[in-house]
Amino acid sequence: QVTAKTAFLFILPQYNVSVPTADGELVQYHYGLKDLVTILFYIFIAIILHAVVQEYALDKINRRLHLSKVKHSKFNESGQLVAFHLTSVIWCLYVVVTEGYISNPRSLWENYPHVYLPFQVKFFYLCQLAYWLHALPELYFQKVRKEEIPRQLRCIALYLVHIAGAYLLNLTRLGLILLLLQYLAEFFFHMARLVYFTDENNEKLFNVWAVVFVVTRLFTLTLYILVIGFGLPRVENQAIDPERGNFFSFLFNNILFRMSVLLLVCLFQASVMWRFIHFQLRRWREYWNEQSSRKRAAAGAKQQTKPLKRDSGYHENGVVKAENGTSPRTKKLKSP
């Protein structure tokens, strides 16, 4: 019995409470320090699943492709993230649809703070935190090159800050929609990289990713403006109350603070779009340079293979001679 209680502490989310509803009671959850134990357990689960995907899928493909060391590392990274992002997109879409967050956008800010979470929402957040925390030791296990470590650390840190921030500040509903949009764009990007590594002439999926990226950025910016600019300022309880999980909704009633937050969000999204545009321009420039070099090479090959017109004889020391070795000129007869 004691062992079972300890096992449940690792496996299942903690801090469940019975919330009265019109139909009876509903079991929901809030967060606490015991969540760290659950996250630790799922970190080990994520490491095991990472090794399974690497051993039974990616390594077998790598043996057939014979990639270089640089491409081998990037292929493994994209392969792992494709599996994770696809799973997360399906799971997150299921959660937001079943909880009604898409059909009722007002639910993103109504009754804030959202202290009590359904089981599937809390479990999703715990697994997300466990995955991105497991990515830290994986940098050592996968023997990532030193040049790649700073970039991957920045990516991991950004995901952890945003996911943990949404979880601790009771903005889980908004966080779910934002994660869905982000993971959808990332899935297409890493899928395009996998296809490119198998066939360097196939870049069609990068065009699909470009469209999805722009659309998701626009939806993300619209969602921020809708929730921060119009939703949270209308929350009934504007008084700060840390015990109820209301940390800063009163700040959004101040128009100066609200506009400052929106300005920071817009600047961040603008920087992301600038890097995206710079990447696209560089890719198109490389593509057109490659196409022009191919055309020049093809034109040079045609000139080399083009037959040259030759005289009836051949040249030898600047004198045209006939095929039988005699000069084509008529010889002058010597006078007797």
Side-chain angles (χ1 to χ4, degrees), residues 1-11 14:
Q1 196 73 12
V2 177
T3 307
K5 290 182 179 179
T6 306
F8 288 146
L9 180 64
F10 284 90
I11 299 172
Q14 304 300 308

Side-chain angles (χ1 to χ4, degrees), residues 280-291:
Q280 290 296 325
L281 290 176
R282 185 181 63 184
R283 190 168 70 90
W284 288 338
R285 186 165 57 248
E286 291 175 354
Y287 172 77
W288 288 115
N289 289 338
E290 183 181 355
Q291 291 297 319

Side-chain angles (χ1 to χ4, degrees), residues 18-261:
S18 297
V19 180
T21 60
D23 300 330
E25 289 186 349
L26 183 64
V27 177
Q28 292 191 330
Y29 298 80
H30 59 93
Y31 61 79
L33 289 176
K34 292 181 181 179
D35 290 341
L36 297 175
V37 180
T38 310
I39 291 173
L40 179 63
F41 173 77
Y42 284 101
I43 286 175
F44 292 114
I45 298 297
I47 292 175
I48 294 172
L49 293 176
H50 190 114
V52 169
V53 172
Q54 185 68 41
E55 178 70 23
Y56 293 99
L58 298 179
D59 285 346
K60 291 183 178 179
I61 299 174
N62 275 320
R63 293 190 194 100
R64 295 181 180 179
L65 295 178
H66 304 289
L67 299 175
S68 63
K69 289 184 178 180
V70 176
K71 290 184 178 181
H72 184 273
S73 177
K74 292 181 178 180
F75 184 88
N76 288 338
E77 177 191 357
S78 293
Q80 293 287 347
L81 289 175
V82 160
F84 168 71
H85 286 135
L86 179 61
T87 304
S88 297
V89 165
I90 296 173
W91 189 2
C92 190
L93 183 62
Y94 173 79
V95 172
V96 297
V97 169
T98 54
E99 295 296 332
Y101 299 153
I102 292 182
S103 59
N104 182 22
R106 289 177 177 270
S107 62
L108 298 179
W109 63 81
E110 283 183 345
N111 302 321
Y112 179 83
H114 307 130
V115 179
Y116 299 112
L117 307 175
F119 171 83
Q120 60 180 355
V121 174
K122 175 165 183 173
F123 189 60
F124 177 81
Y125 270 92
L126 294 180
C127 291
Q128 291 294 313
L129 290 171
Y131 179 86
W132 290 109
L133 285 171
H134 112 281
L136 294 173
E138 285 295 342
L139 295 176
Y140 173 76
F141 295 146
Q142 294 292 320
K143 298 179 181 179
V144 178
R145 295 184 304 131
K146 291 182 179 180
E147 309 87 67
E148 292 290 324
I149 289 178
R151 178 185 63 82
Q152 295 200 25
L153 284 177
R154 284 195 300 269
C155 178
I156 295 169
L158 285 173
Y159 274 113
L160 285 174
V161 167
H162 283 81
I163 296 172
Y167 184 64
L168 296 175
L169 297 177
N170 301 310
L171 292 168
T172 50
R173 299 180 183 181
L174 176 62
L176 281 172
I177 305 296
L178 294 177
L179 277 178
L180 177 61
L181 295 172
Q182 177 66 21
Y183 284 165
L184 187 63
E186 288 292 312
F187 167 74
F188 279 101
F189 172 72
H190 289 288
M191 193 68 199
R193 281 219 304 182
L194 289 181
V195 175
Y196 175 76
F197 288 141
T198 56
D199 181 9
E200 293 187 356
N201 295 322
N202 191 348
E203 297 187 3
K204 293 180 180 179
L205 268 182
F206 278 111
N207 299 328
V208 177
W209 164 70
V211 174
V212 173
F213 181 87
V214 173
V215 172
T216 53
R217 290 302 101 191
L218 292 176
F219 271 105
T220 299
L221 186 59
T222 304
L223 196 60
Y224 271 118
I225 296 174
L226 181 65
V227 175
I228 296 176
F230 300 99
L232 289 177
R234 298 182 181 181
V235 174
E236 295 180 1
N237 185 14
Q238 295 288 346
I240 186 170
D241 187 2
E243 293 184 358
R244 295 187 64 249
N246 194 346
F247 295 101
F248 57 88
S249 64
F250 74 99
L251 293 173
F252 289 100
N253 205 22
N254 186 338
I255 187 170
L256 182 61
F257 177 80
R258 191 162 67 246
M259 295 303 295
S260 299
V261 172

